[in-house]
């Protein structure tokens, strides 16, 4: 519960900072990109670029997270196979050999 309250406080602080930055940056700028150019408010451009960066960061992090989860699952399966292969040997009665003596 405490974790959710802290996350909510952080989210509200970020929202407050975003609103403050947006209110102070209402200038119209010309944004040139490869194909064309457009006139856009600075605050809108900052919000769009922040959103794109957030989505790209999330996608890259998700890729590495999924990669690690798949590796973890494969190693867990391999460990279970090894444990199952060792169990019949552990439960089998020990066979001892007695030395043969000449009579």
């Amino acid at each position: 519960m405490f974790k959710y309250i802290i996350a909510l406080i952080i989210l509200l602080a970020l929202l407050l900072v975003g609103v403050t930055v947006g209110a102070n940056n209402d200038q119209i700028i010309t944004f040139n990109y490869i194909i064309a150019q457009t006139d856009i408010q600075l605050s809108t451009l900052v919000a769009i670029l922040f959103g794109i960066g957030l989505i790209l960061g999330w996608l890259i992090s998700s890729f590495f997270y999924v990669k690690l989860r798949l590796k973890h699952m494969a190693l867990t399966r391999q460990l279970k196979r090894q444990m199952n292969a060792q169990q019949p040997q552990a439960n089998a009665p020990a066979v001892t050999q007695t030395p043969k003596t000449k009579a």
Side-chain angles (χ1 to χ4, degrees):
M1 181 72 175
F2 182 70
K3 182 170 65 170
Y4 296 117
I5 293 172
I6 295 296
L8 182 65
I9 291 172
I10 291 172
L11 184 65
L12 288 174
L14 285 173
L15 184 65
L16 182 65
V17 169
V19 168
T20 304
V21 168
N24 291 332
N25 291 314
D26 58 350
Q27 301 93 344
I28 301 292
I29 61 168
T30 301
F31 181 65
N32 295 320
Y33 44 96
I34 297 172
I35 301 169
Q37 73 181 30
T38 185
D39 292 331
I40 191 169
Q41 283 187 348
L42 181 61
S43 59
T44 305
L45 180 63
V46 168
I48 290 170
L49 293 177
F50 179 77
I52 290 171
L54 183 72
I55 290 170
L56 283 175
W58 180 76
L59 287 173
I60 292 170
S61 297
S62 296
F63 171 75
F64 286 111
Y65 177 76
V66 168
K67 185 177 170 183
L68 285 175
R69 290 295 294 172
L70 291 174
K71 178 105 175 165
H72 179 265
M73 287 170 34
L75 289 174
T76 302
R77 264 188 261 119
Q78 182 181 359
L79 179 63
K80 283 182 183 179
R81 269 191 250 122
Q82 288 178 354
M83 294 294 284
N84 288 337
Q86 287 179 356
Q87 282 209 328
Q89 295 171 358
N91 293 337
V95 177
T96 58
Q97 292 182 352
T98 57
K100 294 181 181 179
T101 57
K102 291 185 179 181

